[in-house]
Amino acid sequence: MSPYTPLHHRLAQNIVEDAVLAGYLPGAHLVTSQLAAKFQISRTPIVRALELLTEQGVLERRSNRGYFILDLDRFDREEIQSDDDRLYWRAVNDIYDECLPENFDETLLIKRYEQPRRTVARLLQRLSDEGVLRRRVGVGWKIETVLRTPEDVRKSLRYRVSIELGALAEPGYHAPREDVLAAIREQKLILSEGTHSTETFERNARFHEKLVSWSNNSFFVEAAVQHNKLRRLWEYRHFKAAKDIRKSTEEHIEILRELAAGNTAHARDLLREHLEKRMHTQDSYAPSGSAPDDL
């Protein structure tokens, strides 16, 4: 059994992502207390995540001094995947392929996946946090609405056009330059990786949520966050080719650069083109039936 829990795995990935975004170089000191504050968690799981990364050769531990970056390129997503991630993907595929009833209780999953109750409880909580499941009044769970067809996705995109363009048209819309530059750096991470992963979707979702958040309208923000949960399974299952990911990401960066220059109206026009272009590409997406490359 692995000495590291799913929490340690996720924290390790978050630490590496944060270091890349911050532009840390080899030799940079990672301070445990600062990481604990950043991720709003106690120091103990942070230390375990740092130990995991040290075993990978990403970090080195110096006696009485702490952890220092050795080589971020040694970070191996495949190596730190967890059993919980693999179980999650089995459940995602079962939900998407309608292998599970709309309403069920945890006993069904315990038997189907031959997993202990505590493992299934973590799975259910994760799917609930992502908006895939909803706890029923009394006992059991209900599968929420998911996007299943290209037409569903086109309807979703029309909804997103109204929400996201509406947010950019809000009076007083303001995108702080430092926040925009940080968002550009995150998009460039996608270009440097060149492959689809679940993190690709998360970065994509953060891009669109960030655009909306700069409207300072909480109703738009809540709508964007909730809708990203709704479209998560479709995006996870229907992988685009690397060239399509690159093109989409380049469009994100172009939109952000216009915002950084203070050209909100032009950024809004580019965003409309970006979303409307997606409406015409849904039929070319084929489900993979498996997890992305990093799982």
Side-chain angles (χ1 to χ4, degrees):
M1 179 180 293
S2 170
Y4 301 107
T5 69
L7 174 61
H8 302 148
H9 295 162
R10 284 193 284 273
L11 282 172
Q13 178 167 323
N14 290 341
I15 289 168
V16 171
E17 297 287 353
D18 186 69
V20 171
L21 285 173
Y24 289 165
L25 298 175
H29 185 200
L30 298 183
V31 181
T32 305
S33 59
Q34 292 177 358
L35 292 171
K38 178 184 288 288
F39 298 117
Q40 298 183 327
I41 198 168
S42 68
R43 295 174 62 172
T44 300
I46 290 291
V47 170
R48 295 294 287 146
L50 294 172
E51 290 172 349
L52 188 159
L53 291 171
T54 300
E55 290 182 8
Q56 277 200 350
V58 175
L59 307 178
E60 64 174 340
R61 188 178 186 280
R62 299 178 186 174
S63 180
N64 299 320
R65 296 185 61 192
Y67 294 88
F68 294 79
I69 292 176
L70 191 62
D71 186 352
L72 293 174
D73 289 337
R74 292 183 182 176
F75 176 60
D76 188 342
R77 294 177 184 274
E78 184 69 23
E79 183 177 326
I80 70 167
Q81 67 175 295
S82 68
D83 290 339
D84 277 27
D85 287 327
R86 283 184 281 268
L87 177 60
Y88 168 82
W89 272 102
R90 286 186 64 189
V92 164
N93 287 326
D94 282 349
I95 290 170
Y96 201 93
D97 294 333
E98 300 183 88
C99 296
L100 297 176
E102 182 180 0
N103 298 290
F104 62 89
D105 61 30
E106 66 178 15
T107 302
L108 175 69
L109 300 192
I110 291 171
K111 293 179 179 178
R112 182 177 182 85
Y113 301 131
E114 299 180 333
Q115 295 291 328
R117 189 175 300 276
R118 64 180 180 277
T119 300
V120 170
R122 289 197 301 270
L123 169 66
L124 291 169
Q125 187 60 55
R126 180 173 177 180
L127 291 169
S128 176
D129 290 344
E130 294 184 353
V132 178
L133 300 180
R134 174 170 54 84
R135 188 183 290 276
R136 296 166 56 198
V137 176
V139 179
W141 298 83
K142 181 181 187 302
I143 297 174
E144 294 284 53
T145 301
V146 296
L147 307 182
R148 296 188 185 278
T149 69
E151 181 56 28
D152 287 342
V153 180
R154 280 188 283 270
K155 291 177 181 178
S156 162
L157 284 162
R158 288 195 291 272
Y159 175 76
R160 289 174 60 195
V161 165
S162 66
I163 295 299
E164 296 184 27
L165 295 185
L168 266 70
E170 276 288 279
Y173 184 92
H174 174 65
R177 182 175 174 79
E178 286 304 312
D179 291 353
V180 175
L181 295 179
I184 290 174
R185 288 195 295 272
E186 182 168 43
Q187 291 299 300
K188 286 183 175 179
L189 284 176
I190 299 176
L191 296 180
S192 66
E193 289 173 355
T195 58
H196 183 97
S197 68
T198 53
E199 184 59 24
T200 303
F201 169 78
E202 299 303 335
R203 289 178 182 140
N204 176 287
R206 284 194 292 270
F207 162 77
H208 288 280
E209 289 173 12
K210 185 63 69 175
L211 289 184
V212 173
S213 74
W214 292 326
S215 70
N216 294 309
N217 184 321
S218 60
F219 295 102
F220 279 131
V221 174
E222 183 176 353
V225 170
Q226 290 301 317
H227 198 70
N228 275 335
K229 292 181 179 180
L230 177 66
R231 68 189 183 93
R232 177 177 271 104
L233 293 193
W234 175 275
E235 296 286 351
Y236 280 4
R237 289 259 307 194
H238 294 73
F239 307 153
K240 294 180 284 185
K243 63 180 179 64
D244 295 324
I245 294 172
R246 173 170 289 276
K247 177 61 177 174
S248 179
T249 303
E250 288 171 346
E251 291 173 1
H252 289 176
I253 292 172
E254 187 177 2
I255 291 167
L256 290 167
R257 284 175 173 161
E258 288 300 312
L259 289 175
N263 300 325
T264 303
H266 190 210
R268 188 170 182 268
D269 290 340
L270 292 175
L271 178 60
R272 180 190 295 277
E273 293 175 10
H274 173 72
L275 293 173
E276 290 182 345
K277 190 182 302 180
R278 289 285 308 278
M279 293 183 196
H280 303 295
T281 61
Q282 299 310 312
D283 290 322
S284 65
Y285 287 5
S288 71
S290 61
D293 294 338
D294 67 332
L295 292 176

